[in-house]
Amino acid sequence: MSRIDIGIDSEGRIKTAEGLKKLLADSYTLYLQTHNFHWNVQGPHFRDLHLMFEEHYTELATAVDEIAERIRTLDVPAPGTFQEFARLSSIKEVDGVPSSSEMVDILTKGHEQVVKTSREVLKLAQAADDESSAALVSDRMRIHEKTAWMLRTIHK
């Protein structure tokens, strides 16, 4: 690491960045799952789900970039391989092609997991007095809470 002086001590920066790495891994895994489901969804709700999944993975593509850049801003290398993401992520990959209703359930759980991961990272950022990371994580949490809610309403 190079010398960095942004008002956050080294320990706080590193702890926050380590949490952000987990958030990045969860977000990237969810992005990949959502893109996979976009490609492979079938059934009577194909068009609606296909378009919704596209909206979701497009939003996640921007998010992973923002999270990775925040990690770099804290002067910590961002993970960037499938191996690292698999090790860090709380979201597990899905084998095969689930039914469209299973896809919705899997993605709902994925978004809920990102919310839980965000809550943990938010605590780290707040403890480090890192308002920029806290704001990023809080925004991510709000988006994933809303997306999970919208996905849950599909089965009502």
Side-chain angles (χ1 to χ4, degrees):
M1 278 192 256
S2 58
R3 175 129 168 76
I4 179 173
D5 184 15
I6 58 172
I8 304 168
D9 67 49
S10 179
E11 181 182 353
R13 278 189 306 101
I14 292 169
K15 283 183 179 179
T16 301
E18 290 302 316
L20 287 168
K21 286 180 182 183
K22 292 178 182 178
L23 180 58
L24 176 61
D26 280 358
S27 299
Y28 196 89
T29 304
L30 184 58
Y31 161 82
L32 191 58
Q33 249 179 15
T34 306
H35 214 149
N36 174 24
F37 293 170
H38 164 78
W39 290 326
N40 291 299
V41 68
Q42 297 181 52
H45 302 289
F46 165 79
R47 181 167 171 69
D48 291 336
L49 292 175
H50 182 75
L51 294 173
M52 182 176 62
F53 294 164
E54 183 175 11
E55 290 172 9
H56 293 177
Y57 78 70
T58 300
E59 193 282 327
L60 281 160
T62 301
V64 297
D65 195 52
E66 290 173 354
I67 297 164
E69 288 178 355
R70 183 63 196 162
I71 294 167
R72 292 301 301 136
T73 300
L74 295 173
D75 203 33
V76 174
T81 65
F82 289 123
Q83 183 178 6
E84 287 177 291
F85 290 148
R87 180 179 58 79
L88 291 166
S89 183
S90 304
I91 298 172
K92 300 305 171 205
E93 292 186 41
V94 175
D95 292 326
V97 179
S99 69
S100 62
S101 65
E102 289 172 320
M103 288 177 179
V104 170
D105 288 340
I106 291 165
L107 293 176
T108 301
K109 288 180 177 89
H111 283 279
E112 290 173 341
Q113 179 56 54
V114 174
V115 171
K116 291 187 271 189
T117 300
S118 295
R119 289 188 189 288
E120 293 304 312
V121 180
L122 184 60
K123 292 174 192 171
L124 296 170
Q126 290 170 333
D129 199 25
D130 180 353
E131 188 61 38
S132 296
S133 292
L136 171 67
V137 173
S138 180
D139 288 346
R140 296 303 321 146
M141 211 165 38
R142 181 182 45 77
I143 290 165
H144 291 285
E145 286 173 341
K146 184 175 181 179
T147 303
W149 160 62
M150 289 182 170
L151 287 165
R152 282 191 304 271
T153 65
I154 292 172
H155 290 299
K156 297 267 179 184

